[in-house]
Amino acid sequence: MNGAESLVQTLTDQGVDICFANPGTSEMHFLKALENPLMRSVLCLFEGVCTGAADGYYRMKGTPASTLLHLGPGLANGLANIHNAKRASSGMVNIVGEHSASHLKYDPPLTSDIEGLARPLSHWVRRVESSNTVAWDVAAAVKKASEHVGQIATLILPGDASWQEVGNPVMPVVPPREVAAAKAKAPGAARVEHIARVLHSGEPTLIVLAGHATRGRAIELAGKLKAATGCRIATQFFSARIERGAGRVTLERIPYAVGQAVEYLQAFKHIITVETTEPIAFFSYPDKPSLLKSPGTSVHELVEIGEDGVAGLEMLVDAVGATNTRAVLQQRADATPPTGALGPASIAQALAAALPEHCILVDESLTTGRETMGLTVGAAPHDLINNMGGSIGYGTPVATGAALACPERRVFCMVGDGSAMYTIQSLWTQARENLNITNIIFANNSYAILKAEYANMGAGAPGERALAMIDIDRPRIDWLAMAKSMGVPAVSVDTAEAFHKAMANSVNESGPCLIEVRL
Amino acid sequence: MNGAESLVQTLTDQGVDICFANPGTSEMHFLKALENPLMRSVLCLFEGVCTGAADGYYRMKGTPASTLLHLGPGLANGLANIHNAKRASSGMVNIVGEHSASHLKYDPPLTSDIEGLARPLSHWVRRVESSNTVAWDVAAAVKKASEHVGQIATLILPGDASWQEVGNPVMPVVPPREVAAAKAKAPGAARVEHIARVLHSGEPTLIVLAGHATRGRAIELAGKLKAATGCRIATQFFSARIERGAGRVTLERIPYAVGQAVEYLQAFKHIITVETTEPIAFFSYPDKPSLLKSPGTSVHELVEIGEDGVAGLEMLVDAVGATNTRAVLQQRADATPPTGALGPASIAQALAAALPEHCILVDESLTTGRETMGLTVGAAPHDLINNMGGSIGYGTPVATGAALACPERRVFCMVGDGSAMYTIQSLWTQARENLNITNIIFANNSYAILKAEYANMGAGAPGERALAMIDIDRPRIDWLAMAKSMGVPAVSVDTAEAFHKAMANSVNESGPCLIEVRL
């Protein structure tokens, strides 16, 4: 057994059984090791697809995937979606190929400071020193990636450590099945009692949920707190994954735009945070605040990031005596498909009508979907995934990973045309793996969000030359041709009813498709 | 005038008058400043296109372009082609938007360690601290980028430094026109005399030329040395830019494959280097050497990287008494277009016949063109550009920048299908700017180079699962559809005569086109 084989075997032993790969010459032994039938290898034509897919996989599965990247530049191509994954607390194990130790001193062309590139966006970076220690090293990477708040672990694998035989292996001490059992701790009782007093005060209070606390038992508990105390419950504008829809407790959403968020939050005397921090503006603007709460609002941290949100909410429900309170559940909204012109409201209505039960909705719709996603809350129960890091081009890769994590569920990926172009190579992997993904491209032929941001920044109305940097209508991207080029069937729609019909049709056939929504 | 306006004005004052941009919210004031009519702004749909285009621009123009990138992830997306540019000694000025200083402490989603990301691949990194110092800072960046060996300068521009008014500007002290006049120094006389003795010895000698010494006066001088002393003259396998073709001095090319390179070099007792180091293997392989020369070969450095190659060669020509020797010039090869099946030889022959005078040939053909580019040396005079950093996805962006630098010359971009997919968004910018680029996609539906590398690595023949990570034929990319999606006319060819005809036709119309060469 050589180092590469030891690495792949250890990955699968530790429960990491998928690898999003874009290999090069220095990873040929790794490629050979991928013959291991316990590892599923998924080829991507660009590394940003690999890392975004690993993010999407983690969001739905809760366990890390691995990526295979080709030296420093391969890692660099994956960094933007590593950034997004890191901000979503998604764990992943990146294996970065490298020249063998003896070759590095000659500074060959593909040499770069891989540790230097990895560190700003990784929680853990290590270079394998010998084929004997590969198993130990990669087990440490998996352990790190699998911590309660998922971590980015980057392991650098030199060619010689990959191809040399393992003589005296240093085997990992962590028994495989315990790796994922990292247990988060509950918040202290004093903190919970303090917050129970806040809720009992009757003063207007908002509980802000994030991390693991936007789904399952956590939102049920939040619903009880709301029903028992009259507090309101919300998420930040962006969440890693929310369970929502009919029959579930609905969480409000703090608005994105600074003005609207400030107005929304000024209703509250208290903000209670669960696995998150107090709301802040996404960007800074001249003459707009960074902190969104009113000066008179107090912030109370119920559950720190990394602590156990469910445990904290259970304690709080107990402390306010709401154990037997029934949460109000979301009603199924009228599912009549809309007709007529396409606009944010009719798009949301069409979505709400078309989304099948237990689908996954990846949202990178920016302008089109930003203010109207609330209208889809009465859809059939589904999971909603947002971009946590703000680097666009996350949607179609994340959808790719989510579909591999949950092959029995359809994924709807809503993405603006500008965003989609960053990592459009995702379509090819979706076609290759026959993934059940409905890609919805909102084609407004513009980085439309920037028009609003231009004004928000106090720059006024964009002039002709600035507009030319915002509109992407010359040439207009032909989305049907784009989809065809990578083997994905596609359709264009320009009415609400056609949009609804295309989405409804998309679930009838396996594999990916693309809907161009002409705006 | 605000900081952003000061920045753009200083750039144009210093001679940097093109900006490859992919802006975001934090760069809205920069966008407004781009209304400056002296700055040409070129929108790219992915940052790797911006940085690759800046590389291509520098290769042809010799002066730096600027890029505009959106925070850490935007920079990250551009890093792979920054790596390639750095290895090609191409200067560029990257402007990276950033949150305003007051906002950063809240760690908003798009925050990352931009300096940390920039440093491994930049020669110079600075963060603007105030709108007052923007002019000073960006002038320093341009100066750095414009050094004799081009440098990567990365300037981080926080929002507040961008939007605040310039009160007491710190103006750059360097007079604009002197910036580019950084003069490289000539090698010492003792070194030249030593090497003249080596050439006089009559022992087999190879002069290896790189950097600025693969074109113009330098190759004429190398031709004199060859004619006078019987030495041979060559380039490394990859060169930043070579002037070649009929009527010029032809340089040999050291082979890529380790075995062939070792065999080629063992003919020489001496290797003389000009603006480069001794030949090394691109990758490391088990049981193959990193250094390619024979153990008995001596290496003599005539001109260090950063010194003046032309001056060194002039001194050497003088020292060996070859001033009046006439170099042998390349004959025009038979330009009969080939017919029949497409293969490396007929492809090269078709190129040699079709390339118009003074065109620019960007080569990222990997498998298809690697061993046969020698057959194009008798084509009409042209410039040849190679990938110096080895990170694939450099070709179409570099072609984009080269076409903007030389609007009167047609660019032929030869690229493998796998490579083309990394930065395929280039096509859109080519269409938007109506650039005279003939994109030639060698569609073998495979990372074909990896099949050879798999064997070279001693991994044998790839098994089914490994092959699935090398072949990209499921689905087969539809290149006509891909080109159409971004507004580029395209044609497929599957014979040598059709390939020749398509290339010949491509020069008859302005703007980009794409030729899919079906292999």
Side-chain angles (χ1 to χ4, degrees), chain B residues 30-175:
Chain B
F30 193 107
L31 224 57
K32 191 179 171 84
L34 289 177
E35 296 279 347
N36 184 331
L38 298 177
M39 176 63 83
R40 177 164 189 181
S41 309
V42 178
L43 184 60
C44 304
L45 298 185
F46 175 69
E47 295 88 346
V49 180
C50 298
T51 54
D55 182 7
Y57 188 88
Y58 183 94
R59 300 244 202 153
M60 294 313 302
K61 202 99 166 182
T63 59
S66 61
T67 68
L68 174 58
L69 310 171
H70 183 47
L71 293 95
L75 169 62
N77 279 336
L79 283 175
N81 273 333
I82 289 177
H83 167 85
N84 288 330
K86 186 182 184 215
R87 290 281 168 168
S89 297
S90 294
M92 77 174 69
V93 177
N94 300 304
I95 313 291
V96 183
E98 167 66 304
H99 294 302
S100 65
S102 63
H103 194 56
L104 265 182
K105 60 175 171 290
Y106 300 111
D107 192 30
L110 261 168
T111 310
S112 64
D113 173 8
I114 302 180
E115 281 91 344
L117 289 166
R119 231 162 241 137
L121 296 167
S122 301
H123 297 92
W124 181 99
V125 180
R126 186 180 292 178
R127 176 178 290 255
V128 176
E129 297 291 345
S130 149
S131 57
N132 286 332
T133 61
V134 165
W136 174 273
D137 291 330
V138 77
V142 174
K143 181 163 186 246
K144 189 70 190 172
S146 307
E147 285 185 5
H148 168 60
V149 171
Q151 307 272 300
I152 309 296
T154 301
L155 186 67
I156 302 165
L157 180 68
D160 46 357
S162 185
W163 70 57
Q164 279 164 6
E165 287 300 301
V166 177
N168 296 300
V170 182
M171 294 308 290
V173 286
V174 185

Side-chain angles (χ1 to χ4, degrees), chain A residues 204-223:
Chain A
T205 298
L206 181 70
I207 304 180
V208 184
L209 304 157
H212 292 69
T214 54
R215 42 193 220 251
R217 179 73 181 151
I219 54 173
E220 286 172 35
L221 294 164

Side-chain angles (χ1 to χ4, degrees), chain B residues 37-333:
Chain B
L38 298 177
M39 176 63 83
R40 177 164 189 181
S41 309
V42 178
L43 184 60
C44 304
L45 298 185
F46 175 69
E47 295 88 346
V49 180
C50 298
T51 54
D55 182 7
Y57 188 88
Y58 183 94
R59 300 244 202 153
M60 294 313 302
K61 202 99 166 182
T63 59
S66 61
T67 68
L68 174 58
L69 310 171
H70 183 47
L71 293 95
L75 169 62
N77 279 336
L79 283 175
N81 273 333
I82 289 177
H83 167 85
N84 288 330
K86 186 182 184 215
R87 290 281 168 168
S89 297
S90 294
M92 77 174 69
V93 177
N94 300 304
I95 313 291
V96 183
E98 167 66 304
H99 294 302
S100 65
S102 63
H103 194 56
L104 265 182
K105 60 175 171 290
Y106 300 111
D107 192 30
L110 261 168
T111 310
S112 64
D113 173 8
I114 302 180
E115 281 91 344
L117 289 166
R119 231 162 241 137
L121 296 167
S122 301
H123 297 92
W124 181 99
V125 180
R126 186 180 292 178
R127 176 178 290 255
V128 176
E129 297 291 345
S130 149
S131 57
N132 286 332
T133 61
V134 165
W136 174 273
D137 291 330
V138 77
V142 174
K143 181 163 186 246
K144 189 70 190 172
S146 307
E147 285 185 5
H148 168 60
V149 171
Q151 307 272 300
I152 309 296
T154 301
L155 186 67
I156 302 165
L157 180 68
D160 46 357
S162 185
W163 70 57
Q164 279 164 6
E165 287 300 301
V166 177
N168 296 300
V170 182
M171 294 308 290
V173 286
V174 185
R177 290 307 129 206
E178 281 183 29
V179 170
K183 193 82 192 109
K185 79 180 208 304
R191 230 193 287 162
V192 175
E193 278 161 37
H194 163 72
I195 289 170
R197 279 192 298 274
V198 169
L199 287 174
H200 278 311
S201 74
E203 292 180 328
T205 298
L206 180 71
I207 304 181
V208 184
L209 304 157
H212 293 71
T214 53
R215 43 192 218 248
R217 179 73 181 148
I219 55 173
E220 287 171 35
L221 293 164
K224 286 174 185 280
L225 290 168
K226 178 179 177 179
T229 72
C231 73
R232 283 161 66 185
I233 53 180
T235 63
Q236 303 278 11
F237 188 75
F238 293 114
S239 297
R241 178 178 155 204
I242 307 177
E243 288 177 354
R244 67 203 287 270
R248 288 175 171 162
V249 170
T250 290
L251 304 172
E252 299 177 46
R253 189 181 196 188
I254 300 173
Y256 179 89
V258 173
Q260 291 171 33
V262 166
E263 197 186 320
Y264 175 86
L265 291 173
Q266 73 193 7
F268 302 104
K269 186 95 184 67
H270 303 279
I271 292 174
I272 295 169
T273 60
V274 179
E275 299 192 32
T276 188
T277 57
E278 70 166 287
I280 52 163
F282 203 89
F283 285 108
S284 48
Y285 304 84
D287 311 320
K288 291 193 206 293
S290 289
L291 294 178
L292 300 175
K293 70 170 189 290
S294 296
T297 303
S298 303
V299 177
H300 312 273
E301 189 170 47
L302 174 64
V303 183
E304 287 178 18
I305 295 168
E307 289 183 337
D308 185 336
V310 171
L313 289 163
E314 294 273 16
M315 290 163 75
L316 187 59
V317 163
D318 199 42
V320 301
T323 311
N324 297 317
T325 306
R326 284 173 62 171
V328 176
L329 301 183
Q330 177 68 45
Q331 295 296 306
R332 181 73 172 97

Side-chain angles (χ1 to χ4, degrees), chain A residues 162-215:
Chain A
S162 185
W163 70 56
Q164 279 162 6
E165 288 300 300
V166 177
N168 295 301
V170 182
M171 294 307 291
V173 286
V174 186
R177 290 308 129 205
E178 282 182 29
V179 170
K183 193 81 194 110
K185 79 178 207 306
R191 228 194 288 160
V192 174
E193 277 161 37
H194 163 72
I195 289 170
R197 279 192 298 274
V198 169
L199 287 174
H200 277 310
S201 73
E203 293 181 326
T205 298
L206 181 70
I207 304 180
V208 184
L209 304 157
H212 292 69
T214 54
R215 42 193 220 251

